[in-house]
């Protein structure tokens, strides 16, 4: 069990309004390609903020700007109220990125000792190993680790300096379910200590489970922000599953139906108002069976938001 430590006095509680990282009207171009377009985004103190978007949406560019690895073409990038390249600010941040390599001949504990030596007040080795779930792998060479074990080691290197702000870019890629949930516990432990986390992930369940706030980015622009519940509510839809004799074309003609797809012997219907659609189904099909109604989840909300945004962009073009 991981012991809960006292929250540092210089970090306010979540909801205090303190912003630890922000992009304000930021545009970033790679020659002719616009990666971010007038993007405004914030990470609050003591929060996990998930940045979601399809491949190429601009997530990694946003993270690199906040880490000071890139400069914007316009707009302001701030970390702890100042320049992200400021050495003092860099000492207060940690990052686990998808790119980068570490020597494979060093053992896990040697890597952690080396990275910890860069910081004035690093976490104790035992706490880093426990948080990352590496206690039994401390003496294993990095080159002998599995893909998931390497991910946990990179997570350990990101947190060993006891950063106040942690950037996690797809941290659980390659992890099995048990290891993924163990890493979630490690992230929650950090937040309990007052740390702030910016998370990018393709696992929407992960964002739903961890994030205090979610920002959805598409084509370099933030298209939705809010709590997980607020993001889900933006689709205001429900999912209906049933076995029906009606074909897909007929189902799409029912008022309130957004999308229909076949799922083995049943169909799944996404609807704005489930009650009205169910009444129509019962009126049109006396053999209807296996009826299930569930609230649309984060995946449905994410798909709806990005598809609507893409459709709007295509019409404008």
């Amino acid at each position: 069990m991981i012991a809960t430590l006292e929250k540092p006095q210089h970090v306010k509680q979540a909801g205090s309004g303190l912003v630890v990282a922000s992009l304000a009207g930021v545009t970033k171009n790679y020659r002719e390609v616009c990666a971010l377009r007038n993007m405004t985004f914030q990470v609050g103190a003591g929060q996990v903020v998930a940045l979601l978007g399809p491949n190429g949406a601009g997530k990694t560019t946003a993270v690199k700007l906040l880490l000071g690895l890139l400069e914007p073409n316009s707009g302001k990038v701030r970390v702890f109220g100042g320049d992200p390249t400021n050495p003092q600010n860099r000492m207060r941040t940690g990052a686990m990125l998808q790119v980068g390599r570490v020597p494979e001949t060093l053992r896990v504990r040697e890597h952690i000792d080396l990275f910890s030596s860069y910081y004035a007040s690093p976490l104790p080795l035992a706490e880093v190993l426990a948080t990352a779930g590496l206690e039994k792998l401390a003496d294993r060479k990095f080159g002998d680790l599995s893909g998931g074990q390497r991910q946990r080691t990179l997570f350990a290197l990101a947190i060993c300096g006891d950063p106040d702000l942690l950037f996690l870019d797809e941290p659980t890629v390659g992890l099995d379910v048990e290891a993924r949930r163990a890493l979630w516990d490690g992230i929650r432990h950090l937040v309990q200590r007052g740390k702030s986390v910016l998370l990018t992930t393709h696992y929407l369940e992960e964002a739903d489970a961890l994030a205090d706030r979610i920002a959805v980015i598409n084509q370099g622009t933030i298209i939705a922000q809010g709590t997980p519940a607020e993001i889900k509510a933006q689709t205001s839809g429900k999912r209906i599953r049933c076995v029906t004799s009606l074909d897909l074309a007929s189902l799409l003609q029912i008022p309130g139906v957004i999308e229909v797809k076949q799922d083995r012997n049943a169909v799944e219907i996404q609807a704005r108002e489930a009650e009205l659609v169910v009444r129509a189904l019962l009126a049109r099909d006396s053999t209807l069976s296996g009826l299930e109604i569930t609230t649309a989840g984060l995946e449905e909300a994410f798909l709806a938001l990005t598809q609507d945004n893409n459709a709007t962009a295509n019409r404008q073009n």
Side-chain angles (χ1 to χ4, degrees):
M1 180 180 297
I2 300 172
T4 300
L5 304 182
E6 292 184 1
K7 186 184 298 294
Q9 294 300 310
H10 64 281
V11 178
K12 296 183 180 180
Q13 297 283 349
S16 64
L18 183 66
V19 175
V20 296
S22 66
L23 302 177
V26 167
T27 294
K28 176 60 182 176
N29 299 320
Y30 297 100
R31 295 184 180 178
E32 301 84 14
V33 177
C34 183
L36 295 181
R37 185 178 294 103
N38 195 31
M39 180 172 169
T40 296
F41 171 73
Q42 295 181 342
V43 178
Q47 289 187 334
V48 177
V49 178
L51 187 59
L52 305 182
N55 289 331
K59 302 186 299 296
T60 299
T61 296
V63 170
K64 287 184 175 180
L65 284 164
L66 289 167
L67 283 170
L69 301 177
L70 294 174
E71 293 185 0
N73 293 92
S74 61
K76 291 185 178 180
V77 182
R78 290 290 180 265
V79 173
F80 302 116
D83 189 332
T85 63
N86 181 298
Q88 291 183 334
N89 287 341
R90 282 189 163 172
M91 291 294 289
R92 297 177 64 190
T93 61
M96 178 181 174
L97 304 179
Q98 296 184 61
V99 294
R101 298 182 62 183
V102 297
E104 299 199 349
T105 55
L106 292 182
R107 303 181 190 279
V108 170
R109 68 167 62 248
E110 292 172 334
H111 275 299
I112 296 173
D113 284 339
L114 176 61
F115 271 67
S116 296
S117 69
Y118 303 148
Y119 298 92
S121 302
L123 289 172
L125 175 64
E127 183 173 351
V128 176
L129 292 171
T131 303
L134 293 169
E135 299 100 317
K136 297 180 180 179
L137 300 172
D139 294 315
R140 187 85 59 86
K141 290 183 179 179
F142 187 81
D144 295 333
L145 300 178
S146 68
Q149 291 167 345
R150 291 184 179 211
Q151 283 292 100
R152 283 150 57 190
T153 302
L154 295 176
F155 176 70
L157 300 182
I159 67 172
C160 67
D162 196 20
D164 292 322
L165 174 60
L166 182 62
F167 296 90
L168 299 176
D169 194 11
E170 304 287 347
T172 60
V173 170
L175 299 186
D176 58 29
V177 173
E178 182 178 358
R180 180 176 295 129
R181 292 187 179 275
L183 195 65
W184 292 0
D185 288 340
I187 294 171
R188 292 186 180 108
H189 167 62
L190 295 171
V191 176
Q192 286 173 0
R193 296 182 55 235
K195 309 302 183 179
S196 306
V197 178
L198 175 59
L199 168 73
T200 72
T201 179
H202 280 99
Y203 298 113
L204 298 184
E205 177 194 8
E206 185 163 271
D208 207 359
L210 291 174
D212 298 293
R213 296 189 62 79
I214 290 174
V216 181
I217 182 173
N218 194 36
Q219 300 184 23
T221 302
I222 297 291
I223 60 173
Q225 295 191 65
T227 65
E230 288 169 345
I231 296 295
K232 294 176 201 176
Q234 290 196 37
T235 61
S236 65
K238 293 188 177 180
R239 185 170 53 230
I240 302 166
R241 180 182 171 85
C242 62
V243 177
T244 176
S245 61
L246 300 175
D247 59 32
L248 299 185
S250 299
L251 293 171
L252 283 170
Q253 297 302 313
I254 298 176
V257 170
I258 301 171
E259 185 179 17
V260 177
K261 64 180 179 180
Q262 192 75 39
D263 184 13
R264 289 162 292 185
N265 66 326
V267 294
E268 286 191 357
I269 304 168
Q270 186 178 345
R272 293 185 180 86
E273 296 185 45
E275 294 80 3
L276 296 177
V277 173
V278 169
R279 291 192 190 103
L281 286 170
L282 291 171
R284 300 181 189 195
D285 182 7
S286 61
T287 67
L288 191 79
S289 63
L291 182 64
E292 299 175 8
I293 303 174
T294 55
T295 301
L298 187 58
E299 181 176 353
E300 288 83 4
F302 173 78
L303 290 173
L305 288 166
T306 53
Q307 288 170 2
D308 287 349
N309 181 252
N310 289 337
T312 300
N314 291 333
R315 286 195 297 268
Q316 291 174 346
N317 293 333

